[in-house]
Amino acid sequence: MIRRMLLLSFFAALALAGCRGGTSTEPPLLVPSKWVDHFFLPVTNMNNQPKAKAQSQSHFWPDGRTARLPPEHTVARDALKADDAFYRGVDSAGKPVAQYPVELSEGLLARGQQRYNIYCAPCHDAVGTGKGIVPTKGWIPPPSFHDERILEFVPGQLFDVISHGVRTMPSYAKQISEGDRWAIVSYIQALQRSHHASLEDVPPELRNNLR
Ligand code: HEC
């Protein structure tokens, strides 16, 4: 009887020792994944989950690639950008457009002014003469928008400079959406016009106000 009780208390102590609630610094026991595969064990350890990681090898697809290519001619939603004039500033022959692919309005011009002052004025200055603050700190001075050469730019050419940059000027395609680029282009042309205006451009009733 005593022996049996001793045995019982021994196992009870053993069982209690298992519930001591302490933490362990040992790494958790893991069933190696090759055993899981090999013996079809229903244990996956949770941290060994069957999944396809990008760029990894696949034994499922015949081409051995995990990453699947989208079906041919797939276009992401809202990313077709088929309108060459609007998205690329060129006509069907690939030449820069001379006409705006957007409707000109006072609102567009105002938006253009605001975007211009943020993105272009630091280098090109507020009126486009190329005397912004950045060139005073060592950046290459940009040309004036009022030079003969740039006065002849059609809207598509100005759009192209914003989209792709030019020589030492970086592209602003990432920062400025196509719609905003056209707004800026219209504002630059307004600046150019303002520097080459004649008396005829002023409405007759306002001419007396000029000094
Ligand atoms: C970091 C300074 C900087 C900013 C910001 C900048 N530009 Fe320029 N830009 C330049 C420089 C420098 C040149 C001259 C590039 C060259 O000839 O090497 C230039 C040239 C140009 C030209 C003349 C291109 C030619 O063929 O000579 C246009 C047009 C122009 N920029 C438009 C813009 C517009 C529009 C923005 C705003 C979206 C803008 N730039 C923002 C520095 C800048």
Side-chain angles (χ1 to χ4, degrees), residues 94-203:
K95 277 186 35 194
V97 290
Q99 301 291 322
Y100 281 85
V102 292
E103 206 176 309
L104 293 179
S105 67
E106 220 179 311
L108 188 83
L109 214 54
R111 174 77 181 168
Q113 177 177 35
Q114 194 229 22
R115 296 288 104 179
Y116 175 91
N117 287 339
I118 293 171
Y119 290 111
C120 319
C123 292
H124 287 276
D125 80 40
V127 291
T129 57
K131 296 193 170 61
I133 190 150
V134 178
T136 68
K137 309 288 178 190
W139 192 274
I140 303 100
S144 166
F145 291 153
H146 313 293
D147 285 353
E148 283 300 315
R149 187 176 63 87
I150 298 176
L151 280 176
E152 283 172 13
F153 277 25
V154 292
Q157 278 172 289
L158 293 170
F159 182 88
D160 183 76
V161 173
I162 307 176
S163 307
H164 300 113
V166 58
R167 295 177 294 273
T168 46
M169 181 187 136
S171 156
Y172 280 84
K174 285 271 192 302
Q175 297 92 326
I176 308 173
S177 70
E178 286 86 357
D180 279 347
R181 283 178 230 168
W182 287 116
I184 292 176
V185 169
S186 74
Y187 184 65
I188 292 178
Q189 291 211 309
L191 283 178
Q192 290 176 325
R193 186 84 195 273
S194 73
H195 272 56
H196 297 84
S198 64
L199 196 58
E200 278 69 53
D201 291 316
V202 184

Side-chain angles (χ1 to χ4, degrees), residues 39-74:
F39 299 110
F40 298 106
L41 295 180
V43 194
T44 55
N45 290 328
M46 297 294 280
N47 50 356
N48 266 323
Q49 298 168 16
K51 61 175 171 282
K53 287 192 177 165
Q55 311 295 334
S56 65
Q57 203 187 355
S58 164
H59 298 294
F60 181 78
W61 299 100
D63 66 359
R65 299 154 57 117
T66 286
R68 310 309 305 149
L69 294 173
E72 250 177 78
H73 310 302
T74 305

